[in-house]
């Protein structure tokens, strides 16, 4: 079977992650729990930067790290936000719906990896966003993979 593709490759690369993030933030702008984090809407630069993060996490080029500073930059965007559990959960729900909107792969293996990252990442962001949180100051950008189930290829 050879080496399985990265999640980034399997999803369709930069274009796929741009579609995902744009679909997600289109939903966020209309959401009563999450829209308040973005008064005035979610700007194009923010969308592009988040797409770069997701692309890198899912095995794409390290563009977020090289251009924006990696983990430390992402951490700085979440400190002191005071994210609530309902907001964290809504984030995961809207991202899952955005994956459908963006026509991301819908095979169980890919969606399992996507949901696993959503749960892992949003729980870390929730903790790091609390007032006075003792966040890890330095860490590599996570490199998410297939986990237990590699891509199904008949």
């Amino acid at each position: 079977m050879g080496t399985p593709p990265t999640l980034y490759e399997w999803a369709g690369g930069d274009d796929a992650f741009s579609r995902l993030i744009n679909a997600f933030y289109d939903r966020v702008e209309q959401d009563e729990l999450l829209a308040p984090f973005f008064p005035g809407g979610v700007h194009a630069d923010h969308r592009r930067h988040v797409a770069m993060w997701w692309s890198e996490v899912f095995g794409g080029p390290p563009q977020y790290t090289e251009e924006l500073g990696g983990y430390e930059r992402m951490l700085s965007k979440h400190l002191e936000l005071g994210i609530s559990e309902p907001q964290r959960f809504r984030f995961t729900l809207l991202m899952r719906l955005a994956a459908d909107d963006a026509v991301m792969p819908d095979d169980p293996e890919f969606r399992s990896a996507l949901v696993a990252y959503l749960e892992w990442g949003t729980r870390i962001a929730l903790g790091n966003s609390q007032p006075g949180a003792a966040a890890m100051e330095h860490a590599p950008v996570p490199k998410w993979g297939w986990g237990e189930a590699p891509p199904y290829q008949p």
Side-chain angles (χ1 to χ4, degrees):
M1 180 171 149
T3 304
T6 64
L7 294 166
Y8 169 84
E9 293 165 337
W10 187 259
D14 285 340
D15 289 341
F17 284 95
S18 290
R19 288 193 318 270
L20 172 66
I21 297 307
N22 282 317
F24 170 70
Y25 282 122
D26 288 349
R27 286 180 173 275
V28 165
E29 288 179 334
Q30 305 305 313
D31 187 82
E32 68 221 20
L33 285 177
L34 300 181
F37 287 118
F38 304 96
V42 185
H43 301 288
D45 280 346
H46 182 80
R47 291 170 183 245
R48 186 173 58 80
H49 295 164
V50 173
M52 288 165 55
W53 171 268
W54 276 75
S55 291
E56 185 171 336
V57 166
F58 277 67
Q63 192 175 6
Y64 189 92
T65 295
E66 292 172 355
E67 293 182 24
L68 300 173
Y71 167 84
E72 289 79 5
R73 166 76 180 256
M74 184 58 71
L75 173 64
S76 75
K77 299 299 181 182
H78 292 91
L79 294 175
E80 304 294 327
L81 283 180
I83 298 169
S84 69
E85 174 54 29
Q87 289 167 323
R88 183 207 70 80
F89 184 80
R90 183 69 58 87
F91 183 104
T92 65
L93 174 62
L94 295 186
M95 188 63 84
R96 291 168 68 180
L97 293 170
D100 290 337
D101 297 343
V103 193
M104 297 293 278
D106 66 354
D107 57 276
E109 298 82 8
F110 179 81
R111 291 302 176 101
S112 175
L114 178 74
V115 170
Y117 177 67
L118 280 169
E119 285 295 324
W120 181 83
T122 59
R123 290 173 189 279
I124 289 173
L126 173 73
N128 287 342
S129 76
Q130 302 311 305
M136 183 182 300
E137 292 182 25
H138 305 289
V141 172
K143 301 294 184 211
W144 216 253
W146 290 102
E148 295 301 319
Y152 175 71
Q153 297 179 344

